[in-house]
Amino acid sequence: MRNQIEFEVSGKYALFTDPLTKIGGEKFSYQVPTYQALKGIVESIYWKPTIIWYIDEVRIMNVIQTESKGIRPIEYNGGNTLAYYTYLKDVKYRVRAYFDFNPHREDLVYDRNEHKHHNIAKRSVQAGGRRDIFLGTRECQGYVEPCDFNEGKGFYDEVPEVDFGHMVHGISYPDETGRPERETRLWPVKMERGIIRFIRPEACVLTRKTGEGAAKAFGSENMESVDHLHEQLFAEGEKA
Amino acid sequence: MSWLANLSKTYDNHTEAIGNFEKKRNGREYALIPISHTTQSAHIEVILNGKGVFLRAKVIEKEEGSTIIPCTEAAASRTSAPVPYPLFDKLMYVAGDYEQYVGEVKKHTPHADYLEQLRAWCTSAYSNRKVESVYQYLQKGTLIADLVEYKVLWTDRQRKLLDKWVQEEGDESKEKPDIFKVIASDQSSAFVRFAVYIPGDTEPRLWRDREVQQSFIDFYNEQLAEKDLCYVTGEQLPFADKHASRIRNSGDKTKLISANDSSGFTFRGRFRTGRDAASVSYEVSQKAHNALKWLIDRQSFTLDGKVFLVWGTDRLEVPDPAEDLFDYLKEEEDDSSAGDISHREHALEVRKALSGYRYDGEYKSNVVIMTLDAATPGRLSIVYYRDMNRELFMNQLQHWHETCFWRHRYRKNENDKYVAFTGAPATKDIAFAAYGPRASDKVVKGLLERMLPCIVDGRAIPIDIVRSAISRASNPVGMEPWEWEKTLSIACALVNKTKEKEGFRVSLNKQLEDRSYLFGRMLAIADVLERRALGREERRATNAIRYMNAFAQRPGRTWRIIQSNLQPYQARMGTDARYYNGLLDEVGSMLKTEDFTDAPLSGLYLLGFYSQRHDLYTKKDKGDTTQGQDSEQDNNQDSEQDDTEE
């Protein structure tokens, strides 16, 4: 596929917080990353408002284990408190993702050069991402490297099916849906031979409205186009 | 699956257990509670007939007080503001003549609220005729009067309920009435439950009647009108506003699911309310929490507030990963070649011991391991969670017991005698071996949690635990002999686990040329030789034992000391020492000259020490005639050093 990237992301800890445990304050991780968490990682690798990333599938390489740590959350009114957060331990995922142009960004039509965006994305994967990567929460640093999705031995390769029940798929934001509201999406998660194949966000039937919002405006005045950047970098007429 | 889904599935798989009380070892009763219900201990039982007429009443004995009562969400979390339970409650709620006998209730109208709630139930489509007779009776408002007349409750001269039972002067014959025996505070806080006798009906006890329970569940379900997307089932269902507390025990205030973000910014930002962030259906929340409480009562282990729980979602019974297999393994005969069993035999034993927990054709069945703890008094946290395939779990457990093993002598059999067994030590015993018997519960519970992944995931044992056990085992003078023996054998098991690939066994490996192992063997020979020379009566520690700690740190230098100290004993034994001297030479010659240094010994030396000593004490065919010198010591555990020498 022309606009697809594959990469491996790993880290010592990960915390894809189960929303049920988040509202009370004692965070506990989902067993596997959510669509939204992976999308965030891909967006940290490379993103522009022109494009929307979609996650095809994720391969769980390591056995799913948890470990808890005592955490001192920030009390904004002063004072001290203690919480036990439960993290996933020693995680490694292989991810396959692709991008499409954001149809709700008519203002950025001038930046739609698929080939160039794809090459930038691939180079960004090589470099380990443009921004720092984190697995679910900020304190869980992750590391990205290019890989072949199907290579290597995963712990669940021989396990026909693992059912994770319903999980959060992600949150739909106004700039990608065109609707002035936020929606939380849920979906039933199944892992087959270590691989979770995600459905597209618009295919999620279980949604609930969780707030309003508006898309931020972008234009040539606050965003540089890829073609322009290319001209700048290769002013001497070199071919990329 | 997620923890909530797994718990609610466990509830669904065990509906036949709902409402069946079982007794814990300490005599306390517990049961799987139906949804929309909870338990309370009742003090007074009022018996009515089908027309709502008072028949009799009695005081319930403490052991029988546990009662399943219908419960609304609001009542479950009631605090100082009175919110009535739907059917059974305290006198303040159920008795219409409460003010008359106790005093005015300010601001609130508990009895009116109670009657209103009960009326709604009785006039709904889900009404039950036994509940109706309770309603009929309570409308009359004569409950306390009837109870006083029936001599269940007691009044003073002003016809108020007695606060305390005071023995009347000159009349000691009167016994203290039962109600004062079962109730801690005064009579007015007594909790009442009802039974209704209807001819032809088999279950008069309303708190045990499945029909009454179901009728309330249906009635209450209708009340929960507002629906939301459930994050566990993915369906539009009535959502739970509040979730259960009292999960670990009846005095526990912590909750697994709570929402509180008035200050801490736990979820605010994208969401305004807790419900925006996540919602769970009432049914799932009830089922999951009730199942969890039931499982905790049934099969958990609690230490310093931390709950360790393992269960199978289909079949509850699962071997506890933290336990040893002592009760299942074959007892070893003391005087046979105990400990010499081959690795294959040991593996066979483990397999046999675990076979009772294996079931065929359950490849999809799961085992859940869950550990709960609270950092603060309000919130409960899941600190460890594993949802794994039963087959995989059993395989991991088997692997653990097959690899982290040694020969132990600290467990007693049913005749209260210490017997030897070969196997993996229980996690708690590892904790005491590593941190000493006076280790605080906090430290021990931390270790228990850290050991779990080693057992169920086959991860390496944290090196600090192994090191700590080794260094404690190297310091025999600091402990009672039996305690040292226990520490030593557990340290050996841990070292053996870290050397899993080499596959060490209890029986002596005479070919192994590892430096630490050989030094350990020499230390054991010196120990046995001196013990022999000292004779039966002398119980002081040998030089080898006394220098063990230093020996582990600087074997080269210390060995010279031990050897020179050994000389008088060799002399005393004369020709009897020949065998040992020969052995010492043999082992010593295996030690390469460049290895005879002061570099500290690895944990392997403990294995060499144990195996060599074991070998010497169980040897049957040696040429020496040193029998009859065993010092039989009183402490049975001590006899490790002295047993079986014929």
Side-chain angles (χ1 to χ4, degrees):
Chain A
M1 210 193 253
R2 195 162 149 215
N3 47 11
Q4 180 177 273
I5 56 167
E6 287 179 354
F7 62 91
E8 180 177 283
V9 57
S10 59
K12 257 185 125 162
Y13 294 100
L15 179 55
F16 308 105
T17 315
D18 184 339
L20 291 171
T21 59
K22 181 170 175 153
I23 50 178
E26 306 275 320
K27 291 192 196 179
F28 173 71
S29 180
Y30 270 141
Q31 306 286 290
V32 288
T34 60
Y35 179 89
Q36 193 73 21
L38 292 171
K39 191 177 171 208
I41 290 170
V42 179
E43 286 177 349
S44 287
I45 293 170
Y46 172 66
W47 181 73
K48 273 185 125 184
T50 323
I51 59 174
I52 300 178
W53 280 105
Y54 293 95
I55 313 296
D56 283 314
E57 46 193 343
V58 60
R59 190 162 162 231
I60 316 294
M61 302 301 286
N62 289 354
V63 57
I64 299 165
Q65 314 179 61
T66 63
E67 186 181 312
S68 69
K69 295 202 246 185
I71 296 289
R72 182 180 169 268
I74 299 167
E75 281 271 36
Y76 290 89
N77 298 332
N80 283 307
T81 185
L82 177 67
Y84 290 138
Y85 288 3
T86 304
Y87 296 83
L88 293 178
K89 168 89 182 146
D90 193 19
V91 296
K92 192 186 274 183
Y93 305 114
R94 297 201 160 177
V95 185
R96 197 176 255 167
Y98 68 97
F99 70 85
D100 259 350
F101 290 116
N102 188 338
H104 305 286
R105 285 283 179 206
E106 298 291 344
D107 45 349
L108 295 177
V109 178
Y110 66 90
D111 193 36
R112 291 185 184 168
N113 186 329
E114 196 170 320
H115 184 63
K116 280 178 183 163
H117 277 299
H118 185 220
N119 276 307
I120 296 172
K122 281 201 290 193
R123 282 197 298 272
S124 299
V125 169
Q126 286 284 345
R130 286 191 159 195
R131 272 159 280 271
D132 52 351
I133 309 291
F134 52 94
L135 294 153
T137 46
R138 209 64 178 78
E139 69 264 29
C140 301
Q141 202 70 42
Y143 303 91
V144 163
E145 41 189 316
C147 76
D148 181 345
F149 188 80
N150 292 314
E151 241 175 38
K153 212 182 124 27
F155 185 85
Y156 296 97
D157 286 357
E158 310 300 323
V159 182
E161 188 185 294
V162 178
D163 186 1
F164 290 108
H166 284 86
M167 276 174 57
V168 167
H169 187 276
I171 298 175
S172 307
Y173 289 100
D175 63 338
E176 289 182 1
T177 61
R179 294 186 292 274
E181 57 203 8
R182 281 190 301 273
E183 282 167 10
T184 305
R185 308 184 302 268
L186 299 181
W187 75 302
V189 186
K190 270 202 174 68
M191 176 168 81
E192 285 161 341
R193 303 204 176 272
I195 296 173
I196 296 169
R197 289 180 184 83
F198 288 104
I199 53 176
R200 296 253 306 192
E202 55 271 23
C204 289
V205 284
L206 306 169
T207 59
R208 60 200 290 260
K209 292 184 177 48
T210 46
E212 305 81 36
K216 190 184 172 186
F218 285 101
S220 47
E221 70 283 351
N222 61 357
M223 208 194 81
E224 189 177 44
S225 78
V226 273
D227 297 308
H228 185 240
L229 178 75
H230 186 261
E231 275 161 30
Q232 239 181 27
L233 286 173
F234 304 101
E236 290 87 50
E238 228 177 287
K239 282 269 169 261
Chain B
M1 231 188 282
S2 85
W3 54 282
L4 265 176
N6 261 329
L7 284 167
S8 112
K9 185 177 158 200
T10 307
Y11 182 96
D12 287 336
N13 286 345
H14 294 90
T15 44
E16 77 286 346
I18 295 173
N20 288 341
F21 277 94
E22 290 164 83
K23 267 209 169 73
K24 269 203 275 193
R25 261 159 288 163
N26 62 11
R28 260 202 56 217
E29 285 186 317
Y30 67 92
L32 183 56
I33 309 295
I35 62 168
S36 311
H37 285 71
T38 183
T39 49
Q40 277 278 342
S41 50
H43 308 111
I44 299 172
E45 191 172 315
V46 174
I47 294 138
L48 309 171
N49 71 11
K51 294 191 184 71
V53 175
F54 182 92
L55 295 180
R56 57 184 184 275
K58 66 172 185 189
V59 174
I60 309 158
E61 279 171 46
K62 261 201 177 124
E63 299 77 52
E64 290 165 2
S66 198
T67 308
I68 297 177
I69 63 166
C71 179
T72 60
E73 272 192 300
S77 54
R78 79 178 180 197
T79 47
S80 56
V83 184
Y85 287 118
L87 185 54
F88 311 128
D89 212 328
K90 291 181 172 181
L91 281 177
M92 182 167 73
Y93 298 93
V94 294
D97 46 1
Y98 181 80
E99 299 201 349
Q100 202 178 314
Y101 278 90
V102 181
E104 217 176 310
V105 182
K106 288 189 189 95
K107 281 198 288 190
H108 300 288
T109 52
H111 180 63
D113 294 349
Y114 169 84
L115 270 189
E116 174 52 32
Q117 194 167 265
L118 193 57
R119 190 193 61 78
W121 181 5
C122 287
T123 52
S124 76
Y126 307 103
S127 170
N128 178 294
R129 63 177 177 149
K130 280 187 261 182
V131 179
E132 278 167 26
S133 25
V134 173
Y135 178 59
Q136 251 174 30
Y137 169 67
L138 289 177
Q139 264 182 318
K140 296 175 199 161
T142 56
L143 180 62
I144 295 185
D146 286 340
L147 289 173
V148 169
E149 196 180 336
Y150 211 80
K151 288 199 174 2
V152 168
L153 295 178
W154 299 80
T155 52
D156 57 15
R157 293 204 178 85
Q158 283 89 45
R159 297 208 22 97
K160 298 272 179 199
L161 285 186
L162 269 176
D163 283 348
K164 231 186 275 160
W165 179 253
V166 190
Q167 197 72 263
E168 268 176 63
E169 267 178 67
D171 189 12
E172 261 95 61
S173 59
K174 255 191 176 172
E175 216 192 310
K176 192 177 177 185
D178 292 338
I179 186 73
F180 294 100
K181 290 179 194 159
V182 296
I183 206 157
S185 49
D186 49 312
Q187 293 183 89
S188 59
S189 60
F191 195 99
V192 187
R193 70 185 186 194
F194 298 97
V196 176
Y197 277 94
I198 292 175
D201 185 74
T202 49
E203 182 57 275
R205 301 172 297 178
L206 263 62
W207 60 97
R208 290 285 172 98
D209 191 339
R210 292 288 289 133
E211 276 176 38
V212 173
Q213 288 168 1
Q214 194 55 46
S215 116
F216 180 73
I217 294 170
D218 294 338
F219 164 69
Y220 190 58
N221 201 31
E222 207 187 44
Q223 313 260 298
L224 302 160
E226 210 179 335
K227 289 185 178 177
D228 206 337
L229 181 63
C230 172
Y231 273 39
V232 177
T233 59
E235 288 166 47
Q236 288 285 342
L237 289 168
F239 71 95
D241 197 30
K242 298 187 176 79
H243 299 271
S245 63
R246 296 196 294 161
I247 290 164
R248 290 177 297 178
N249 53 57
S250 55
D252 184 20
K253 287 267 185 271
T254 60
K255 286 182 174 188
L256 270 168
I257 308 175
S258 59
N260 176 21
D261 192 45
S262 54
S263 61
F265 292 95
T266 48
F267 61 81
R268 265 196 293 188
R270 286 193 196 98
F271 308 112
R272 274 157 315 192
T273 64
R275 233 184 89 209
D276 270 350
S279 82
V280 190
S281 64
Y282 175 75
E283 193 183 329
V284 166
S285 167
Q286 287 275 318
K287 282 182 177 175
H289 283 103
N290 287 352
L292 181 58
K293 286 179 191 174
W294 179 58
L295 287 167
I296 287 175
D297 276 333
R298 219 183 111 94
Q299 55 196 71
S300 80
F301 166 73
T302 308
L303 185 73
D304 191 29
K306 190 174 245 174
V307 176
F308 295 86
L309 181 61
V310 187
W311 84 95
T313 47
D314 297 334
R315 289 169 198 260
L316 297 177
E317 269 75 16
V318 176
D320 187 345
E323 287 299 320
D324 56 35
L325 294 177
F326 174 75
D327 295 328
Y328 301 98
L329 292 173
K330 197 173 63 193
E331 262 178 42
E332 286 172 21
E333 297 290 322
D334 263 0
D335 51 1
S336 76
S337 55
D340 263 357
I341 58 164
S342 72
H343 192 267
R344 246 194 57 220
E345 258 176 86
H346 175 60
L348 217 65
E349 280 285 308
V350 170
R351 222 155 287 178
K352 223 166 66 194
L354 292 174
S355 64
Y357 290 105
R358 284 187 188 267
Y359 307 105
D360 293 331
E362 290 198 347
Y363 79 99
K364 278 188 107 174
S365 179
N366 274 22
V367 170
V368 184
I369 305 159
M370 203 165 167
T371 306
L372 305 169
D373 202 355
T376 59
R379 308 178 310 246
L380 196 59
S381 171
I382 306 163
V383 291
Y384 185 87
Y385 179 79
R386 272 291 275 180
D387 170 15
M388 62 199 290
N389 180 277
R390 186 169 198 125
E391 194 63 31
L392 182 69
F393 173 78
M394 294 305 295
N395 290 344
Q396 293 285 10
L397 206 59
Q398 184 177 320
H399 180 73
W400 164 257
H401 285 288
E402 278 172 15
T403 51
C404 183
F405 75 97
W406 204 251
R407 182 170 179 270
H408 309 283
R409 276 191 64 91
Y410 54 83
R411 292 287 303 259
K412 285 179 183 169
N413 65 3
E414 59 267 30
N415 303 327
D416 218 27
K417 271 193 70 183
Y418 287 104
V419 289
F421 79 102
T422 304
T427 322
K428 224 176 5 173
D429 289 323
I430 296 178
F432 293 133
Y435 301 135
R438 280 168 301 279
S440 77
D441 283 357
K442 272 207 166 53
V443 174
V444 173
K445 75 173 180 178
L447 182 132
L448 295 193
E449 194 198 331
R450 287 175 71 203
M451 285 303 293
L452 263 177
C454 309
I455 300 167
V456 298
D457 293 322
R459 271 208 261 166
I461 302 174
I463 194 70
D464 62 298
I465 296 174
V466 184
R467 271 201 200 126
S468 178
I470 292 173
S471 80
R472 282 197 78 243
S474 302
N475 188 20
V477 239
M479 286 175 257
E480 293 286 316
W482 66 266
E483 192 196 337
W484 174 63
E485 288 295 340
K486 182 174 173 179
T487 308
L488 175 65
S489 67
I490 290 172
C492 285
L494 297 181
V495 172
N496 197 13
K497 174 75 182 168
T498 57
K499 305 273 175 196
E500 199 178 311
K501 289 208 183 67
E502 284 92 331
F504 282 100
R505 276 178 263 139
V506 181
S507 57
L508 186 61
N509 183 344
K510 286 181 179 153
Q511 269 74 51
L512 192 71
E513 292 195 346
D514 180 272
R515 171 175 174 271
S516 297
Y517 196 78
L518 291 175
F519 265 122
R521 285 181 67 186
M522 281 157 68
L523 189 69
I525 300 166
D527 175 48
V528 174
L529 190 152
E530 190 174 338
R531 189 90 266 151
R532 279 281 138 75
L534 283 172
R536 183 182 282 274
E537 290 76 31
E538 192 55 72
R539 298 183 58 175
R540 67 164 193 248
T542 63
N543 279 297
I545 296 299
R546 291 199 300 153
Y547 284 114
M548 193 167 179
N549 203 1
F551 184 73
Q553 298 307 315
R554 283 174 290 275
R557 203 172 78 189
T558 317
W559 179 249
R560 244 164 279 151
I561 301 170
I562 293 175
Q563 189 149 45
S564 62
N565 285 345
L566 212 53
Q567 243 141 37
Y569 300 104
Q570 285 167 323
R572 190 195 292 183
M573 281 174 80
T575 50
D576 287 349
R578 232 178 22 212
Y579 174 77
Y580 297 105
N581 293 338
L583 202 58
L584 265 181
D585 293 345
E586 187 193 317
V587 178
S589 66
M590 284 170 77
L591 200 61
K592 295 187 199 81
T593 19
E594 67 267 27
D595 280 346
F596 199 86
T597 57
D598 265 347
L601 298 176
S602 77
L604 215 51
Y605 98 95
L606 291 176
L607 300 194
F609 175 80
Y610 194 106
S611 296
Q612 178 66 64
R613 197 183 63 176
H614 185 73
D615 187 65
L616 285 173
Y617 280 129
T618 48
K619 207 94 193 161
K620 293 201 159 156
D621 56 344
K622 65 177 170 273
D624 284 297
T625 50
T626 48
Q627 297 104 320
Q629 296 225 0
D630 296 359
S631 53
E632 193 62 55
Q633 302 189 358
D634 303 339
N635 192 331
N636 231 324
Q637 293 222 258
D638 263 345
S639 61
E640 173 62 66
Q641 301 165 333
D642 329 297
D643 55 6
T644 64
E645 227 263 301
E646 286 311 324

